[in-house]
Amino acid sequence: MAGAYDDRDGKIWMDGKLVEWRDAKVHILTHALHYASSVFEGERCYNGKIFKGHEHSLRLRRSAELLDMEVPYTAEELDIAKDAVLKANGWDNAYVRALAWRGSGEDMGVAAKRNPVRVAVAAWEWGNYYGDAKMKGAKLDIAKWRRPDPATIPSEAKAAGLYMICTMSKHAAEAKGCSDAMMFDYRGYVAEATGANIFFVKDGEVHTPKPDCFLNGITRQTVIQMLKDMQIKVHERHILPEELEGFEQCWLTGTAAEVTPVGQIGTYAFEVGDLTRRVATEYERLVRS
């Protein structure tokens, strides 16, 4: 697929039915467009099956609850909608985007209890999120924006508003020739990349930031379990910036990123080592099994 995302052939599921791609529209006074009252999920379909699709459906509903919204479809109904989109478009391998948002209605201020919560599912064919970084390792900038204190916003929700600083950070990174940016949290600890969790290797053991102010990704949890099954020790803890110099390997995890090696973060260099390659290979095997 190529071209603008609003001008393509295909089907998108909106509010209970499949519609033509170009007809999947919302009004300019949609509450979510003005106040970021929306949550979403990113999922990948491999060989006709969405990896952990039901877990993503459950998380979409949970994210909405945290933002004081009620998704008008069960997780099982969302699963059916996602499968319908894939079937309607004839895709066995695709990226799936489920979205719930406050639509237009009687309210157009901060409060929007009288506005309906709308739901859509779209999908498209999408290759490697970081291009050829899977072979040589992604290059990351260090963002100036930080993950906020969870007392300011429900950080365990996959909420659209939380990605504003991610977009700004990724734009700044790309302007420097980088693929992405690593972010610190409000305390100064290593947090994650703009849309992916991060892992480090030192002396054969794995270290990853404790997800107490950012999303504990489904791919992150999957990879941690994989590592434990491999009998590799995993330390989930707060990581200080000065520790970056001592790590030997690094990779990112996420539905879009899958498992992507990192070759550089700022001035710190990492090898695309055996463990990184093994995790990437095992993850690829798992999602296609």
Side-chain angles (χ1 to χ4, degrees), residues 69 162 184 186 196 210 233 263:
M69 299 191 297
L162 283 165
F184 295 124
Y186 66 102
K210 186 177 179 180
K233 192 168 184 60

Side-chain angles (χ1 to χ4, degrees), residues 59 125 136 196 198 238 286:
R59 190 172 68 179
E125 293 176 309
K136 65 181 184 180
I198 195 164
H238 295 143
L286 176 64

Side-chain angles (χ1 to χ4, degrees), residues 72-97:
Y73 299 95
T74 65
E76 290 75 15
E77 288 171 329
L78 293 170
D79 294 343
I80 292 170
K82 289 182 284 188
D83 288 338
V85 167
L86 292 166
K87 183 178 179 180
N89 289 288
W91 293 324
D92 289 326
N93 294 279
Y95 179 84
V96 181
R97 172 62 55 87

Side-chain angles (χ1 to χ4, degrees), residues 185-198:
D185 69 17
Y186 66 102
R187 297 160 297 194
Y189 296 128
V190 173
E192 59 176 348
T194 62
N197 295 125
I198 195 164

Side-chain angles (χ1 to χ4, degrees), residues 77-150:
E77 288 171 329
L78 293 170
D79 294 343
I80 292 170
K82 289 182 284 188
D83 288 338
V85 167
L86 292 166
K87 183 178 179 180
N89 289 288
W91 293 324
D92 289 326
N93 294 279
Y95 179 84
V96 181
R97 172 62 55 87
L99 176 74
W101 72 97
R102 287 198 185 277
S104 54
E106 297 179 62
D107 293 323
M108 198 52 215
V110 173
K113 280 290 188 180
R114 294 182 294 176
N115 291 15
V117 174
R118 302 188 58 190
V119 183
V121 177
W124 56 90
E125 293 176 309
W126 209 9
N128 292 338
Y129 186 66
Y130 290 109
D132 63 358
K134 281 203 168 185
M135 280 66 77
K136 65 181 184 180
K139 181 181 178 183
L140 272 56
D141 185 27
I142 296 178
K144 73 174 184 179
W145 300 104
R146 297 190 173 197
R147 277 292 173 205
D149 185 331

Side-chain angles (χ1 to χ4, degrees), residues 106-269:
E106 297 179 62
D107 293 323
M108 198 52 215
V110 173
K113 280 290 188 180
R114 294 182 294 176
N115 291 15
V117 174
R118 302 188 58 190
V119 183
V121 177
W124 56 90
E125 293 176 309
W126 209 9
N128 292 338
Y129 186 66
Y130 290 109
D132 63 358
K134 281 203 168 185
M135 280 66 77
K136 65 181 184 180
K139 181 181 178 183
L140 272 56
D141 185 27
I142 296 178
K144 73 174 184 179
W145 300 104
R146 297 190 173 197
R147 277 292 173 205
D149 185 331
T152 66
I153 194 166
S155 56
E156 63 269 36
K158 195 170 177 66
L162 283 165
Y163 283 79
M164 180 181 67
I165 55 174
C166 299
T167 297
M168 296 161 65
S169 298
K170 192 170 174 78
H171 285 175
E174 290 175 341
K176 297 178 182 178
C178 298
S179 300
D180 203 348
M182 186 194 74
M183 307 179 78
F184 295 124
D185 69 17
Y186 66 102
R187 297 160 297 194
Y189 296 128
V190 173
E192 59 176 348
T194 62
N197 295 125
I198 195 164
F199 289 77
F200 301 96
V201 179
K202 183 176 182 179
D203 298 329
E205 298 184 348
V206 173
H207 304 256
T208 189
K210 186 177 179 180
D212 56 3
C213 66
F214 57 86
L215 194 69
N216 183 11
I218 289 174
T219 307
R220 177 186 183 276
Q221 295 173 55
T222 300
V223 167
I224 288 175
Q225 187 57 55
M226 284 173 45
L227 290 163
K228 290 179 178 178
D229 291 342
M230 294 175 188
Q231 304 300 311
I232 294 170
K233 192 168 184 60
V234 180
H235 304 273
E236 293 185 73
R237 63 180 182 83
H238 295 143
I239 297 174
L240 293 166
E242 52 264 34
E243 294 184 71
L244 293 173
E245 188 174 12
F247 292 128
E248 301 146 6
Q249 302 176 47
C250 177
W251 69 76
L252 302 175
T253 65
T255 295
E258 300 172 293
V259 176
T260 298
V262 173
Q264 185 176 344
I265 302 176
T267 60
Y268 304 102

